[in-house]
Amino acid sequence: MSFPEHPRTRTGSMPTDPAAGGRRGNGLAVAALVLGILAILLFWTVFGGVLLGLLALVFGIIGARRARGGRAPHGVMSIVGAVLGALGLIASGVILAIGASILNSDEFKDFDDCVQHADTKGERDACAEDFNRDMNN
């Protein structure tokens, strides 16, 4: 006695199977969006702004190209992730440039020299006040 095969046990794919002609998910779009949001939130750190922003930008571009080619959904999500990653990368670059310019400035060198030669806390506080005055002018 032979039983008929159940439709789910037959070889081949079901019509609801995503590999059967339907589009699969776009994990790169999700990764780009998550990394882009983290890059925006952590732009003030080198790791957050530069590394996460760069990864979000790359994943977003790849995800958008796949979506444009019809191989994956969520093209807009990929673009948003890439844009957020680029913004985090730019903001982090600005922060790094400002920090480098402050560390290389004559006022900072004078402040560093002043603190090294200060013997008391009052003298170190005076160095900090002078530095703040020089930076604000």
Side-chain angles (χ1 to χ4, degrees), residues 2 6 17 19 25 28 41 48-49 56 63 74 95 106 109 115 118 121 136:
S2 170
H6 192 272
D17 187 7
L28 289 174
L41 293 175
H74 308 302
I95 294 292
D106 290 334
K109 290 176 184 170
V115 169
K121 179 166 174 33
N136 291 328

Side-chain angles (χ1 to χ4, degrees), residues 23 26 61-73 75:
R23 294 187 309 180
N26 193 350
I61 290 171
I62 294 170
R65 293 189 76 183
R66 283 186 181 176
R68 187 176 56 191
R71 295 177 304 213

Side-chain angles (χ1 to χ4, degrees), residues 13-136:
S13 58
M14 295 289 292
T16 58
D17 187 7
R23 294 187 309 180
R24 292 188 225 168
N26 193 350
L28 289 174
V30 175
L33 185 62
V34 169
L35 291 173
I37 291 170
L38 288 174
I40 289 292
L41 293 175
L42 299 173
F43 75 92
W44 50 273
T45 66
V46 173
F47 172 76
V50 175
L51 184 63
L52 296 178
L54 188 60
L55 286 173
L57 184 62
V58 170
F59 290 167
I61 290 171
I62 294 170
R65 293 189 76 183
R66 283 186 181 176
R68 187 176 56 191
R71 295 177 304 213
H74 308 302
V76 174
M77 187 186 299
S78 297
I79 293 170
V80 169
V83 168
L84 290 175
L87 290 174
L89 189 61
I90 291 168
S92 185
V94 168
I95 294 292
L96 287 172
I98 290 171
S101 69
I102 288 173
L103 291 177
N104 288 330
S105 69
D106 290 334
E107 288 86 10
F108 184 76
K109 290 176 184 170
D110 292 342
F111 170 72
D112 191 40
D113 187 49
C114 180
V115 169
Q116 286 181 358
H117 291 95
D119 293 328
T120 65
K121 179 166 174 33
E123 290 175 351
R124 286 190 293 275
D125 290 341
C127 291
E129 289 174 15
D130 291 340
F131 178 72
N132 287 333
R133 191 176 336 105
D134 289 342
M135 291 304 293
N136 291 328

